[in-house]
């Protein structure tokens, strides 16, 4: 009888041992990597604006040999967070929307993502949905990812790499009055290493003030001439000396508004709306208002810029009429 009981106890332990072995192992996130990069490299300004988001491309990758599983909330505020630090190591505040959503008593819906070895999952988030960016400065941006969701029982955090986030002062026509060289100076003008939006801004201001030396400072006049269908074929067929004369003649015609009137039109005011650029090419979109005796005309200018010997220059443009006011 005693022997029978002993066999029973051993059998029960064996069953429990098999059950424990069958339970799924806790996920190991040591082989998971999280990285961030800017989705569209742009010039960023303060404030929460749909026209100037700080979009970041987020990637979760499985660097291990085993299947990686994690939860991803439909409301991304419960899956990740951004932190930004100044050079003095002070942090930016969270937006009121993020604080309210995380503090409310609500059901968090999510789905489970599975990644095999070498696979990755990516999505895009706007940093301004998470952080209050009210002041121009240089920040260091990081992201924290919560594979088991924010404030869950398994409160785990995976940290990303760090990005430098430069927030520039908001452009405004009223504040746009700086011209680097005085109108009557005899000093030889030299272009400065300005960002694409500043290049366009200074060019428009120079035109408003009829400062032609400054106006041509950041214009690739040769490229504009080649973009003129009436002059392009002749320009390509003449000698180098004749090309130089054509460029000077083209500049004189621009100054007299005898050609390509849109590029030399004088706006009453303007507003830089959007700037995007790669290391070599860029686009600056500007809304410009032109005042006439009985009405004002509104136009959208799209300036194309590129790097030439380390300096951004305007080499092309297009204009869209937006109506009158």
């Amino acid at each position: 009888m005693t022997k029978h009981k002993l066999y029973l106890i051993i059998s029960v332990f064996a069953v429990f041992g098999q059950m424990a072995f069958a339970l799924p192992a806790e996920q190991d996130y040591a082989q998971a990597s999280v990285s961030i990069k800017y989705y569209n490299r742009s010039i960023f300004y303060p404030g929460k604006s749909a026209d100037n988001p700080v979009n970041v491309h987020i990637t979760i990758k499985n660097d291990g040999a085993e299947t990686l599983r994690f939860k991803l909330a439909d409301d991304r505020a419960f899956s990740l967070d951004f932190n930004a630090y100044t050079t003095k190591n002070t942090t930016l505040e969270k937006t009121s929307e993020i604080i309210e959503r995380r503090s409310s008593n609500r059901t968090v819906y999510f789905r489970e993502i599975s990644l095999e070895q070498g696979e990755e999952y990516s999505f895009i988030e706007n940093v301004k949905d998470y952080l209050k960016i009210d002041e121009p400065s240089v920040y260091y941006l990081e992201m924290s990812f919560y594979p088991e969701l924010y404030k869950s029982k398994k409160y785990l955090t995976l940290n990303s790499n760090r990005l430098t986030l430069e927030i520039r002062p908001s452009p405004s026509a009223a504040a746009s009055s700086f011209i680097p060289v005085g109108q009557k100076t005899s000093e030889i003008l030299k272009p400065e290493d300005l960002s694409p939006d500043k290049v366009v801004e200074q060019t428009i201001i120079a035109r408003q003030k009829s400062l032609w030396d400054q106006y041509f400072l950041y214009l690739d006049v040769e490229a504009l001439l080649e973009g003129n269908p009436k002059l392009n074929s002749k320009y390509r067929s003449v000698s180098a000396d004749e090309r130089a004369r054509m460029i000077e003649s083209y500049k004189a015609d621009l100054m007299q508004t005898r050609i390509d009137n849109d590029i030399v039109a004088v706006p009453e005011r303007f507003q830089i709306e959007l700037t995007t650029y790669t290391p070599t090419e860029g686009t600056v979109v500007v809304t410009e208002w032109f005042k006439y005796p009985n009405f004002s005309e509104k136009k959208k200018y799209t300036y194309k810029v590129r790097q030439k010997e380390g300096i951004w220059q305007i080499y092309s443009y297009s204009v869209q009429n937006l109506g009158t006011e």
Side-chain angles (χ1 to χ4, degrees):
M1 185 71 177
T2 305
K3 186 176 181 180
H4 177 72
K5 288 183 178 180
L6 180 61
Y7 284 146
L8 179 61
I9 293 171
I10 293 173
S11 298
V12 170
F13 278 131
V15 170
F16 276 118
Q18 290 175 2
M19 289 176 63
F21 184 79
L23 290 173
E26 187 171 327
Q27 178 68 65
D28 180 14
Y29 294 103
Q31 299 302 314
S33 65
V34 179
S35 62
I36 58 175
K37 63 180 180 180
Y38 292 113
Y39 178 62
N40 279 329
R41 185 69 190 185
S42 181
I43 294 177
F44 304 122
Y45 302 111
K48 183 175 175 58
S49 170
D51 295 329
N52 187 237
V54 181
N55 285 328
V56 168
H57 186 271
I58 301 162
T59 299
I60 298 101
K61 184 178 181 181
N62 181 8
D63 294 321
E66 303 297 326
T67 302
L68 173 68
R69 294 182 176 86
F70 58 89
K71 297 179 177 67
L72 187 67
D74 293 347
D75 184 346
R76 297 290 194 261
F78 292 92
S79 278
L80 60 95
D81 201 3
F82 287 99
N83 289 296
Y85 308 87
T86 67
T87 54
K88 296 181 179 179
N89 208 34
T90 58
T91 58
L92 289 180
E93 296 180 15
K94 308 296 181 186
T95 63
S96 57
E97 293 86 354
I98 284 290
I99 296 173
E100 181 179 351
R101 279 151 61 188
R102 286 177 176 166
S103 60
S104 63
N105 187 13
R106 56 189 294 186
T107 301
V108 178
Y109 296 96
F110 66 89
R111 52 191 172 126
E112 187 173 87
I113 306 294
S114 297
L115 300 179
E116 299 303 324
Q117 182 179 12
E119 291 184 340
E120 56 187 40
Y121 184 87
S122 299
F123 54 95
I124 297 168
E125 285 292 296
N126 181 7
V127 176
K128 288 186 177 180
D129 290 338
Y130 295 78
L131 298 176
K132 293 172 62 177
I133 305 177
D134 297 329
E135 299 294 334
S137 185
V138 175
Y139 302 97
Y140 301 110
L141 180 69
E142 295 177 341
M143 192 201 77
S144 297
F145 182 70
Y146 310 115
E148 297 292 341
L149 302 183
Y150 180 76
K151 286 189 175 179
S152 65
K153 293 181 180 179
K154 300 177 182 178
Y155 191 53
L156 302 173
T157 303
L158 302 177
N159 295 319
S160 75
N161 56 303
R162 175 178 287 191
L163 298 178
T164 300
L165 174 61
E166 182 178 1
I167 303 296
R168 295 177 177 269
S170 296
S172 64
S176 300
S177 58
F178 172 71
I179 292 291
V181 182
Q183 185 174 7
K184 296 182 180 180
T185 182
S186 59
E187 180 184 353
I188 298 176
L189 296 177
K190 294 181 180 180
E192 299 178 10
D193 183 13
L194 302 179
S195 60
D197 60 324
K198 284 297 181 182
V199 162
V200 171
E201 180 184 73
Q202 296 305 319
T203 300
I204 296 174
I205 295 171
R207 181 64 192 98
Q208 287 177 322
K209 298 186 176 184
S210 296
L211 303 178
W212 290 106
D213 287 343
Q214 285 91 335
Y215 176 76
F216 288 118
L217 202 58
Y218 299 103
L219 278 186
D220 187 339
V221 178
E222 182 178 18
L224 292 174
L225 189 156
E226 290 180 308
N228 187 308
K230 295 180 180 179
L231 301 174
N232 179 272
S233 57
K234 180 182 178 181
Y235 182 79
R236 291 181 176 275
S237 64
V238 299
S239 65
D241 289 342
E242 182 61 27
R243 286 185 178 186
R245 284 192 288 271
M246 284 189 68
I247 290 175
E248 291 305 314
S249 177
Y250 179 75
K251 290 172 67 175
D253 286 340
L254 286 175
M255 294 171 66
Q256 297 298 321
T257 64
R258 291 195 293 255
I259 196 169
D260 290 348
N261 293 339
D262 283 324
I263 192 66
V264 290
V266 183
E268 178 191 28
R269 58 190 176 95
F270 67 94
Q271 177 68 48
I272 295 177
E273 306 291 353
L274 179 66
T275 303
T276 57
Y277 64 97
T278 67
T280 57
E281 294 268 347
T283 301
V284 182
V285 180
V286 185
T287 301
E288 301 185 25
W289 288 264
F290 300 87
K291 188 172 181 59
Y292 298 95
N294 299 320
F295 65 95
S296 291
E297 192 173 27
K298 184 179 178 182
K299 296 183 179 182
K300 181 174 78 173
Y301 277 68
T302 301
Y303 296 93
K304 298 289 186 180
V305 298
R306 63 187 174 198
Q307 284 267 13
K308 193 172 184 179
E309 298 180 355
I311 300 297
W312 289 101
Q313 289 187 325
I314 300 168
Y315 72 91
S316 181
Y317 71 98
S318 61
V319 184
Q320 178 185 349
N321 290 322
L322 301 179
T324 58
E325 296 181 347

